[in-house]
Amino acid sequence: MAAGVAAPLVRRRLDLKPSAVAVVSASAPIALCVVRPRSRTRDVLTCCLQMWAYVAVYQMPHDDPQALRARVRVDYPVRIDRALGAGTLPTLRLQRRLSQPGRFSLLDRVLIWAHWLWFFTPHTALAYVLVRRPDLFPRAAVLTYAVFDIGVIGYWAIPTAPPWYAAEKGRIGHAEMPQLRRMMYEYGELFWEDGWQPLYSFLGGNPLAAMPSLHFATSVMAAHLLTEVGPVEAVVGWGYALTLGLALVYLGEHYVVDLLAGLALTETIRGAAPRTRPLAVAASRAVQALEARARA
């Protein structure tokens, strides 16, 4: 468990291979389940260790920025979104209608904060399920982190640039429209001042990881899970997911096609859950057998 926590921290210093870091860090949640008996505290810590491993795998492609930039796909989502927008990117259409260059309206700030709050949203939803419906928590956790773990494969296999990066590289433009803005970054510099760059460096991790949108995918999964808890929770979950979807496109952080891919990922995982349940149960029993031997 200690090795799994330490590996992401020392990977650059020790020049560890990404595959080794992924395997060792992914073993930490399993190790915790072996050495500690089941409790709510262990459930929470298991989720934390799972996300620790995910963050390491998510960030590692950007350990070599030059190599990542050489592999990144820039043009294909531009072409798809231009087709979806009937010749103009939906991001550009929204920014032309709703934003004013150099200014931030109330709508802008609401959508920017909706984007920032995503870092807490999937985990807050799981915590709520754990408190209100603990019987639903194991399944909810498996579905949520399956979205993270399967989605991150796309960031390695097909690194794809977001709209703001394409705009910086001159791949997005329209003669009758202003340049695409990266509004979240602009506002971050204004709001956080000197603290923005360290905060962005810590949370950004891998700026060339847009396909699929795990922001949207995990928020949709959270909305599904909250719907299983109750109708009020459903309204909150789906209200946030839809608001975030608008924010991601409007702010220039994701294409519409990124959101569609994230939605497809979530719905595929939910649809496959009944068929893969026997495999998950077998894995759970294997870990429980190791736990029993550790207690013997």
Side-chain angles (χ1 to χ4, degrees):
M1 185 171 67
V5 173
L9 295 173
V10 301
R11 71 177 192 272
R12 293 187 180 93
R13 187 182 311 168
L14 300 181
D15 195 24
L16 299 177
K17 292 184 177 180
S19 58
V21 176
V23 170
V24 173
S25 59
S27 70
I30 300 172
L32 175 62
C33 293
V34 171
V35 301
R36 298 298 300 174
R38 175 76 185 276
S39 66
R40 281 191 176 184
T41 299
R42 194 189 79 172
D43 286 345
V44 172
L45 291 176
T46 300
C47 293
C48 291
L49 289 174
Q50 144 68 31
M51 283 305 298
W52 180 246
Y54 162 80
V55 169
V57 176
Y58 164 76
Q59 291 181 342
M60 283 191 291
H62 201 241
D63 285 353
D64 187 343
Q66 185 174 355
L68 181 60
R69 285 194 293 269
R71 294 181 59 228
V72 70
R73 274 71 163 183
V74 180
D75 295 319
Y76 84 85
V78 177
R79 291 194 294 267
I80 295 174
D81 255 41
R82 189 168 284 139
L84 292 174
T88 301
L89 294 183
T91 296
L92 285 174
R93 288 190 183 277
L94 288 170
Q95 289 189 2
R96 181 181 66 171
R97 291 180 179 276
L98 302 177
S99 74
Q100 297 181 17
R103 300 182 63 182
F104 297 96
S105 66
L106 176 60
L107 174 64
D108 297 340
R109 294 194 295 270
V110 167
L111 294 179
I112 289 168
W113 276 99
H115 181 276
W116 286 343
L117 288 174
W118 170 82
F119 290 96
F120 307 98
T121 300
H123 318 295
T124 301
L126 278 181
Y128 186 84
V129 172
L130 179 61
V131 172
R132 289 295 304 274
R133 289 290 305 273
D135 57 307
L136 299 178
F137 178 78
R139 174 178 171 274
V142 168
L143 292 176
T144 297
Y145 295 121
V147 174
F148 277 106
D149 293 345
I150 296 174
V152 79
I153 296 172
Y155 299 160
W156 279 88
I158 311 175
T160 302
W164 62 264
Y165 183 90
E168 286 183 359
K169 299 302 178 182
R171 309 293 182 89
I172 294 176
H174 196 292
E176 299 177 358
M177 294 187 180
Q179 180 69 20
L180 185 146
R181 299 172 63 192
R182 193 183 185 192
M183 300 173 67
M184 181 271 292
Y185 197 93
E186 295 175 20
Y187 186 72
E189 291 181 319
L190 180 67
F191 184 85
W192 298 104
E193 298 180 343
D194 292 341
W196 171 243
Q197 283 300 332
L199 182 64
Y200 177 75
S201 297
F202 175 73
L203 296 177
N206 183 358
L208 302 181
M211 172 66 74
S213 171
L214 292 187
H215 288 86
F216 192 60
T218 54
S219 298
V220 170
M221 182 61 80
H224 278 300
L225 298 174
L226 290 173
T227 299
E228 296 176 6
V229 177
V232 175
E233 291 85 350
V235 170
V236 173
W238 286 108
Y240 176 79
L242 294 174
T243 301
L244 179 65
L246 172 62
L248 293 171
V249 176
Y250 174 59
L251 300 175
E253 297 298 317
H254 277 286
Y255 297 97
V256 172
V257 69
D258 298 339
L259 271 62
L260 294 176
L263 176 64
L265 173 64
T266 291
E267 298 306 321
T268 299
I269 289 173
R270 290 185 69 248
R275 294 189 294 275
T276 57
R277 186 176 184 276
L279 180 62
V281 170
S284 177
R285 287 175 178 169
V287 174
Q288 290 173 20
L290 289 174
E291 181 182 353
R293 291 185 64 182
R295 302 263 185 282

